[in-house]
Amino acid sequence: MVDYLRLSLTDRCNLNCVYCTPLEKAGFLKHDELLRHEELARAAAAFVRAGVTKIRLTGGEPLLKRNIVGLVHLLRAIPGLKELALTTNGLLLGPLAPELRAAGLDRVNISLDTLRRKTFQEITGSDGLARVWEGINASLAAGFSEVKLNAVLMKGVNSGEAPDFARLTGERPLTVRFIEFYPANARAARLKGALFTTAETKRSIEDALGPLEELPAARSDGPARVYKLPGAKGKIGFISGRSSYFCGACNRVRMDCTGRVYPCLFSPATHSLKDLLRAGAPDEALADYIRKIFLVKSNYKKDSSTAGHIEMSSLGG
Ligand code: SAM
């Protein structure tokens, strides 16, 4: 059953990550191609009417979206929406975290692949590590129901940092989640041999810090397997998109910032809501259209290990 929408708000990003930002980009989308706040909120409400209970805002970098706090207010007011979350690179989060929380954002995931300033520069092309930490600390202080760090480890780049990330969970109520590298686009495909698997990551943590305790699966974990270090305040999760196959448990669809809907991360966009929205379609017609997309998804079972080209940078992973 589909109950989770990942909503990409913009194709723009303020980082240039070695495994994500496309090698060549034709230019950013024009203003009129992007859905406006009211259109995004109507689309989101129709998804909720069709059965979605959780929405995650992503991008590009979602905090680059104009008046993101206003948009969070609009989305939070949708009846039946149980959870509103955000995935961000954290650069702009410090000053915004309290306002986003006050507007009704429940959870924040912050993408952070390294704890070292120089490696951060190498991976992202920016000297922004200190600002990301301001964002993490502001989020912990703002009282979100969960603050997660998402790390993609790559052999020969940052794979030696797994124990350092794990140590962060000892003293703070942070969840660190390791996401397996995926050769999604032409740029990522150039990083041959970069995959550092869940098994390798877990072994390197346990070699340094001792055995991890597995925690019972919670609904909010999605496809992640979650562990903790004995006595730790935080948790450690693993998402093994490359080394294991979890399409059967997938409960999500994705919509990009132009209204195109992707029933699967590895499928092309099969539908678009923009024309219906701009033609003033009634709420129930939008929800009916979305229910049809959910049916397409249930027939779309592709093995993630054989999937092709994906632009995570605009679709949001
Ligand atoms: N800008 C936001 C951020 O940095 O979180 C949201 C968009 S970003 C594309 C979402 C997530 O996709 C990030 O955590 C990033 O690490 C992940 N991602 C991008 N390309 C990836 C790849 N090739 N393999 C694994 N994860 C990837």
Side-chain angles (χ1 to χ4, degrees):
M1 193 186 80
V2 178
D3 58 7
Y4 177 16
L5 170 69
R6 293 181 66 100
L7 187 57
S8 174
L9 301 183
T10 173
D11 59 330
R12 288 165 195 260
C13 190
N14 44 3
L15 290 180
N16 180 15
C17 294
V18 285
Y19 58 85
C20 184
T21 312
L23 287 171
E24 286 164 33
K25 198 150 161 74
F28 293 113
L29 292 167
K30 292 195 203 72
H31 190 65
D32 190 50
E33 294 177 79
L34 307 179
L35 296 187
R36 295 183 282 272
H37 281 202
E38 298 67 30
E39 292 170 335
L40 286 165
R42 275 204 75 213
F47 274 97
V48 172
R49 223 177 158 104
V52 161
T53 57
K54 170 177 173 181
I55 296 178
R56 174 172 298 281
L57 307 178
T58 179
E61 172 46 44
L63 297 186
L64 290 175
K65 181 80 181 167
R66 191 179 39 85
N67 189 13
I68 178 75
V69 175
L71 180 59
V72 166
H73 265 293
L74 278 180
L75 297 174
R76 188 65 276 185
I78 296 172
L81 179 64
K82 294 201 182 121
E83 193 173 284
L84 186 59
L86 169 81
T87 292
T88 170
N89 61 34
L91 277 182
L92 301 174
L93 186 57
L96 281 172
E99 285 179 75
L100 289 168
R101 179 70 188 124
L105 188 72
D106 298 300
R107 296 167 177 262
V108 191
N109 285 7
I110 300 156
S111 302
L112 178 64
D113 300 328
T114 175
L115 304 175
R116 300 180 187 156
R117 184 175 170 188
K118 190 160 166 284
T119 313
F120 188 93
Q121 267 172 316
E122 284 161 11
I123 294 176
T124 67
S126 152
D127 187 16
L129 181 60
R131 276 170 69 195
V132 177
W133 271 106
E134 280 168 32
I136 295 169
N137 291 328
S139 300
L140 286 169
F144 291 108
S145 65
E146 188 167 33
V147 179
K148 274 188 197 147
L149 303 188
N150 282 348
V152 176
L153 297 184
M154 291 164 283
K155 266 190 191 138
V157 180
N158 56 349
S159 53
E161 297 189 51
D164 297 337
F165 272 104
R167 272 188 204 98
L168 290 178
T169 66
E171 294 302 318
R172 300 157 189 247
L174 278 173
T175 298
V176 169
R177 236 170 30 161
F178 296 102
I179 300 178
E180 281 182 339
F181 164 80
Y182 183 75
N185 62 7
R187 188 162 181 193
R190 294 205 306 199
L191 299 167
K192 295 215 182 322
L195 175 65
F196 192 63
T197 63
T198 287
E200 290 172 303
T201 308
K202 189 162 172 279
R203 197 176 318 123
S204 107
I205 294 172
E206 294 191 319
D207 284 350
L209 304 172
L212 291 168
E213 293 168 6
E214 182 155 11
L215 299 175
R219 230 191 73 80
S220 60
D221 296 336
R225 299 273 296 269
V226 185
Y227 299 78
K228 74 196 272 282
L229 286 166
K233 289 207 174 121
K235 298 185 269 183
I236 299 171
F238 298 93
I239 300 204
S240 317
R242 288 298 280 168
S243 60
S244 71
Y245 172 73
F246 48 67
C247 300
C250 180
N251 61 344
R252 59 194 66 184
V253 292
R254 295 167 168 82
M255 186 171 92
D256 74 11
C257 54
T258 68
R260 282 182 304 214
V261 184
Y262 297 71
C264 163
L265 181 58
F266 305 116
S267 76
T270 56
H271 296 70
S272 173
L273 285 184
K274 193 202 265 170
D275 290 347
L276 282 174
L277 286 164
R278 294 200 171 164
D283 293 347
E284 195 44 35
L286 287 172
D288 267 345
Y289 185 71
I290 291 165
R291 288 187 195 102
K292 288 192 190 111
I293 306 176
F294 293 173
L295 280 179
V296 171
K297 179 178 174 68
S298 62
N299 295 325
Y300 203 98
K301 295 274 181 252
K302 183 155 185 166
D303 179 348
S304 55
S305 63
T306 60
H309 182 98
I310 314 156
E311 285 307 346
M312 304 262 203
S313 63
S314 48
L315 193 53

